[in-house]
Amino acid sequence: MAEEKAETVKNKQVLLRDYLNGFPKESDMIISTCNIIRLKIPENSNGILLRNLYLSCDPTMHGLMRKPESPRRTSIPPCKPGSVSGVDFIAGMPGLTAYVGFYEVSNPKKGERVYVSAASGAVGQLVGQYAKSMGCYVVGSAGSKEKVDLLKNKFGFDDAFNYKEEHDLDAALKRYFPDGIDIYFENVGGRMLDAVLLNMRKHGRIAVCGMISQYNLEQPESVSNIAWHLYKRVRMEGFTVFEYLHLHSRFLDFVLPDIRKQKITYVEDIVEGLENGPAALIGLFNGRNVGKQLVAVAHE
Amino acid sequence: MAEEKAETVKNKQVLLRDYLNGFPKESDMIISTCNIIRLKIPENSNGILLRNLYLSCDPTMHGLMRKPESPRRTSIPPCKPGSVSGVDFIAGMPGLTAYVGFYEVSNPKKGERVYVSAASGAVGQLVGQYAKSMGCYVVGSAGSKEKVDLLKNKFGFDDAFNYKEEHDLDAALKRYFPDGIDIYFENVGGRMLDAVLLNMRKHGRIAVCGMISQYNLEQPESVSNIAWHLYKRVRMEGFTVFEYLHLHSRFLDFVLPDIRKQKITYVEDIVEGLENGPAALIGLFNGRNVGKQLVAVAHE
């Protein structure tokens, strides 16, 4: 019976041409339509067939595209050039990332001063809302007027600024945080981190979620103000969501009621069609996306 | 009666000439013998007169000599030029520093790989011994053959090296830690920290006790490998002993039995006479001292 129902379809794929060498480009990926698959559930199986409607693009995928021996890759297994990644990216991953980075790593307290870089991104927009919901003062930075408006008017940040318009980041931070920063949710790295260190308060915490400005540089930007760790007794900690997946159901219990009540909101940036996936992924490293980047691959 | 016993003496003092501007020099301090004091216990008092036998020289004192508004000063109140500091440096402070930095900040586990820089110093020599006593593998670095010999032959480090003889610190660390470093006890900063970051293991910890190579630089050395915090989920935390003084009696209960049984040993570098105090203090920043630097000011 099952045999009769089997359907043969072309399976469009995005394949990595070769491991990255510097900044990712669209030409590092190939759209392949050569693969033919049969949609068939094995006999006597309770399996079901799923159709993907959306795919996720996330900055951490840069690590999948690095040589296995590269120290810059993330903790998840790398792709093999020419074949499909075996890693499933959970579509709610940025929400869980924001949740563990803020509540588990940053040790926040009511009334603290929180700064989020890349704040309109999939993770940053949620960190800001979590921080507001527990009574923190929250400022975010982003790379366009549109994104800054979103932070202030949609996500409820206390304030926000366009880092591209600030030639002196230290001065900008002193304007928004005259009494210093308790928690820095780090998404970008480089000169932003250097300026933040000068503005940390005693016992401040830096949760290193990402350093998107640094991944693809041949020579990473250097940071000069590391000794502020000592002067201010700062704690800085890198984390990855893949080590907190056991908190996923607790996270859903926490966030879903607030999403239903529209107390937590979000912005998605959806491109249509798998063939636009490579450009969408690369756009993350240029700041082209506004909010969580998705690729719609089917509509039913 | 007390009045009759009062004795008038010259009180020799080391005074700060002016706040530091760059590297401290002997000429930043003045030896003054102008102050006359009367050794007298107030009537009807239970007070006693104390004679100082030893004074302590500690790297953290550089912070006392900075302008009050300098972010580089430590958490203790600064000196006033021309007057005596009101801060008592507890002579057991380096031992407590090593204790809290290792046990409270570094979260050590048996069998872990521990690296200590400036390891023959007052703090480093104890960190290495604490780490050995709980079954860690411990390597230290120092700046002379004499100090390296001390680390290996007196303090029981598993291995040690002279950082001045290594033009490639990354390669040196890979030689001593082929499987990476779990705990880095940071006393120096700068290019050493940069090399260590490349060699940290997953979930490694960096306890920032000091950055003696950096305090007196006009422009601190920059660090390029900060993103390793993310790649390896490293936690780096600055601390100061002055925030852990409540642990002092617990520390004494911990360390005194081992000192009596000679399971913990130490090396002191004692200069004679207060007039040699300024040179001894400045010697700390040149690595002249071998072990804990003291100044003997009296012998009974």
Side-chain angles (χ1 to χ4, degrees), chain A residues 71-72 75 193 203 208-209 211 215 220 222-224 226 228-231 233-238 240 243, chain B residues 71-72 75 193 203 208-209 211 215 220 222-224 226 228-231 233-238 240 243:
Chain A
R72 293 194 196 179
S75 53
L193 175 60
H203 300 289
V208 185
C209 174
M211 290 195 171
Y215 300 142
S222 59
V223 173
S224 298
I226 287 295
W228 262 251
H229 272 84
L230 190 63
Y231 305 145
R233 276 78 76 207
V234 169
R235 192 188 75 208
M236 180 156 95
E237 184 167 352
T240 170
E243 294 178 344
Chain B
R72 294 194 195 180
S75 53
L193 175 60
H203 301 289
V208 185
C209 173
M211 290 196 171
Y215 301 142
S222 59
V223 172
S224 298
I226 288 294
W228 263 252
H229 272 85
L230 190 63
Y231 306 145
R233 275 80 73 207
V234 169
R235 192 188 74 207
M236 178 155 96
E237 185 167 350
T240 170
E243 294 178 343

Side-chain angles (χ1 to χ4, degrees), chain A residues 140-206:
Chain A
S141 60
S144 72
K145 183 178 181 310
E146 178 191 7
K147 292 177 182 179
V148 168
D149 287 346
L150 269 181
L151 293 176
K152 291 201 279 194
N153 302 321
K154 186 168 176 72
F155 300 129
F157 282 58
D158 292 288
D159 220 326
F161 65 95
N162 179 350
Y163 72 91
K164 290 181 181 169
E165 289 178 353
E166 304 288 345
H167 72 279
D168 182 344
L169 291 173
D170 176 32
L173 291 169
K174 285 189 166 49
R175 215 162 59 228
Y176 292 99
F177 296 95
D179 299 318
I181 298 166
D182 293 296
I183 293 174
Y184 173 43
F185 199 96
E186 164 68 301
N187 287 312
V188 300
R191 68 190 193 97
M192 180 63 88
L193 175 60
D194 224 9
V196 167
L197 282 166
L198 295 175
N199 289 282
M200 290 303 286
R201 287 166 66 84
K202 260 189 218 171
H203 300 289
R205 282 87 63 207
I206 299 177

Side-chain angles (χ1 to χ4, degrees), chain B:
Chain B
M1 287 292 283
E3 191 62 27
E4 289 164 38
K5 282 187 184 169
E7 191 187 344
T8 301
V9 295
K10 280 191 178 177
N11 178 235
K12 209 187 282 182
Q13 298 177 325
V14 179
L15 302 176
L16 182 66
R17 194 186 293 269
D18 200 356
Y19 290 122
L20 289 190
N21 188 10
F23 202 88
K25 306 174 297 294
E26 279 192 62
S27 60
D28 290 322
M29 288 165 270
I30 315 164
I31 308 286
S32 161
T33 51
C34 304
N35 196 40
I36 306 290
I37 53 169
R38 294 176 69 214
L39 302 176
K40 176 178 173 289
I41 300 171
E43 260 177 282
N44 304 319
S45 150
N46 291 322
I48 52 168
L49 268 179
L50 289 177
R51 180 195 290 270
N52 279 331
L53 302 181
Y54 295 97
L55 298 177
S56 176
C57 289
D58 297 281
T60 194
M61 288 172 174
H62 83 97
L64 288 168
M65 300 160 79
R66 303 255 165 216
K67 282 185 184 154
E69 63 274 20
S70 166
R72 294 194 195 180
R73 65 181 189 81
T74 44
S75 53
I76 41 182
C79 292
K80 267 193 192 161
S83 68
V84 174
S85 167
V87 178
D88 278 328
F89 271 73
I90 307 148
M93 194 189 69
L96 180 59
T97 302
Y99 177 79
V100 300
F102 187 64
Y103 292 106
E104 299 290 316
V105 181
S106 305
N107 189 25
K109 290 183 260 313
K110 187 178 170 181
E112 286 196 318
R113 300 146 183 88
V114 178
Y115 172 52
V116 187
S117 57
S120 73
V123 176
Q125 58 179 254
L126 288 167
V127 172
Q129 293 179 79
Y130 297 160
K132 279 310 300 174
S133 76
M134 72 175 288
C136 295
Y137 167 78
V138 190
V139 177
S141 60
S144 73
K145 183 179 181 310
E146 177 192 8
K147 292 178 182 179
V148 167
D149 287 346
L150 270 180
L151 293 177
K152 291 200 278 195
N153 302 321
K154 184 165 178 74
F155 300 129
F157 282 57
D158 292 288
D159 220 326
F161 65 95
N162 180 348
Y163 73 92
K164 291 180 180 169
E165 289 178 353
E166 304 288 345
H167 71 279
D168 182 345
L169 290 174
D170 176 32
L173 291 170
K174 285 191 165 50
R175 214 161 61 229
Y176 292 99
F177 296 96
D179 299 317
I181 298 166
D182 293 296
I183 293 174
Y184 173 43
F185 199 95
E186 164 68 300
N187 287 314
V188 301
R191 68 190 194 97
M192 180 62 88
L193 175 60
D194 224 10
V196 166
L197 282 166
L198 295 174
N199 289 281
M200 291 302 287
R201 288 166 65 83
K202 259 188 220 173
H203 301 289
R205 287 131 274 150
I206 300 177
V208 185
C209 173
M211 290 196 171
I212 200 163
S213 74
Q214 303 297 300
Y215 301 142
N216 302 311
L217 301 179
E218 195 63 32
Q219 177 61 38
E221 283 183 293
S222 59
V223 172
S224 298
N225 301 318
I226 288 294
W228 263 252
H229 272 85
L230 190 63
Y231 306 145
K232 299 294 180 183
R233 275 80 73 207
V234 169
R235 192 188 74 207
M236 178 155 96
E237 185 167 350
F239 73 98
T240 170
V241 69
F242 299 104
E243 294 178 343
Y244 290 91
L245 296 180
H246 57 285
L247 298 183
H248 193 247
S249 66
R250 198 174 89 189
F251 159 65
L252 291 179
D253 292 345
F254 169 84
V255 80
L256 288 180
D258 281 352
I259 289 178
R260 288 193 193 104
K261 283 184 251 161
Q262 297 185 316
K263 282 175 69 181
I264 290 277
T265 185
Y266 50 90
V267 168
E268 293 167 337
D269 190 330
I270 304 176
V271 300
E272 288 290 328
L274 191 67
E275 56 282 5
N276 292 315
L281 179 60
I282 284 156
L284 293 174
F285 299 101
N286 298 320
R288 197 210 50 76
N289 62 305
V290 180
K292 168 65 191 161
Q293 182 69 60
L294 294 168
V295 182
V297 289
H299 284 277
E300 60 173 29

Side-chain angles (χ1 to χ4, degrees), chain A:
Chain A
M1 289 290 283
E3 191 62 27
E4 288 165 37
K5 284 187 185 169
E7 191 186 343
T8 301
V9 294
K10 280 191 177 175
N11 178 236
K12 208 187 284 182
Q13 297 177 327
V14 178
L15 302 176
L16 182 66
R17 194 187 293 270
D18 199 358
Y19 290 121
L20 289 191
N21 188 9
F23 202 89
K25 305 174 296 298
E26 278 192 61
S27 60
D28 289 323
M29 288 166 269
I30 314 164
I31 308 285
S32 160
T33 50
C34 303
N35 196 39
I36 307 290
I37 53 168
R38 294 174 69 215
L39 302 178
K40 176 178 174 288
I41 300 170
E43 261 179 280
N44 305 319
S45 149
N46 291 322
I48 53 168
L49 267 179
L50 289 177
R51 180 196 291 271
N52 279 332
L53 302 181
Y54 295 96
L55 299 178
S56 176
C57 289
D58 297 281
T60 194
M61 289 171 173
H62 83 97
L64 289 167
M65 299 160 80
R66 303 257 163 214
K67 283 185 183 153
E69 64 273 21
S70 165
R72 293 194 196 179
R73 66 182 189 80
T74 44
S75 53
I76 41 182
C79 292
K80 265 191 193 164
S83 68
V84 174
S85 166
V87 178
D88 278 328
F89 271 72
I90 307 147
M93 194 189 69
L96 180 59
T97 302
Y99 177 79
V100 301
F102 187 63
Y103 292 106
E104 299 290 317
V105 181
S106 305
N107 189 26
K109 291 182 259 315
K110 187 178 170 180
E112 286 195 318
R113 299 146 184 87
V114 177
Y115 172 52
V116 187
S117 57
S120 72
V123 174
Q125 59 179 251
L126 289 167
V127 171
Q129 293 179 78
Y130 297 160
K132 279 309 299 173
S133 77
M134 72 176 287
C136 294
Y137 166 78
V138 190
V139 176
S141 60
S144 72
K145 183 178 181 310
E146 178 191 7
K147 292 177 182 179
V148 168
D149 287 346
L150 269 181
L151 293 176
K152 291 201 279 194
N153 302 321
K154 186 168 176 72
F155 300 129
F157 282 58
D158 292 288
D159 220 326
F161 65 95
N162 179 350
Y163 72 91
K164 290 181 181 169
E165 289 178 353
E166 304 288 345
H167 72 279
D168 182 344
L169 291 173
D170 176 32
L173 291 169
K174 285 189 166 49
R175 215 162 59 228
Y176 292 99
F177 296 95
D179 299 318
I181 298 166
D182 293 296
I183 293 174
Y184 173 43
F185 199 96
E186 164 68 301
N187 287 312
V188 300
R191 68 190 193 97
M192 180 63 88
L193 175 60
D194 224 9
V196 167
L197 282 166
L198 295 175
N199 289 282
M200 290 303 286
R201 287 166 66 84
K202 260 189 218 171
H203 300 289
R205 282 87 63 207
I206 299 177
V208 185
C209 174
M211 290 195 171
I212 199 162
S213 74
Q214 303 297 300
Y215 300 142
N216 302 310
L217 301 179
E218 194 64 32
Q219 177 62 37
E221 282 182 294
S222 59
V223 173
S224 298
N225 300 318
I226 287 295
W228 262 251
H229 272 84
L230 190 63
Y231 305 145
K232 299 293 180 182
R233 276 78 76 207
V234 169
R235 192 188 75 208
M236 180 156 95
E237 184 167 352
F239 74 98
T240 170
V241 70
F242 299 104
E243 294 178 344
Y244 290 91
L245 297 180
H246 57 285
L247 298 184
H248 193 248
S249 66
R250 198 174 89 189
F251 160 64
L252 291 178
D253 291 344
F254 168 84
V255 80
L256 289 180
D258 281 351
I259 290 178
R260 287 193 194 105
K261 284 185 250 163
Q262 297 186 313
K263 282 174 69 179
I264 290 277
T265 186
Y266 50 89
V267 168
E268 294 168 335
D269 189 330
I270 305 177
V271 300
E272 288 291 329
L274 190 68
E275 57 281 5
N276 291 315
L281 179 61
I282 284 157
L284 293 174
F285 299 101
N286 297 321
R288 198 211 49 76
N289 62 305
V290 179
K292 167 67 190 160
Q293 182 68 62
L294 294 168
V295 181
V297 290
H299 284 278
E300 61 173 30

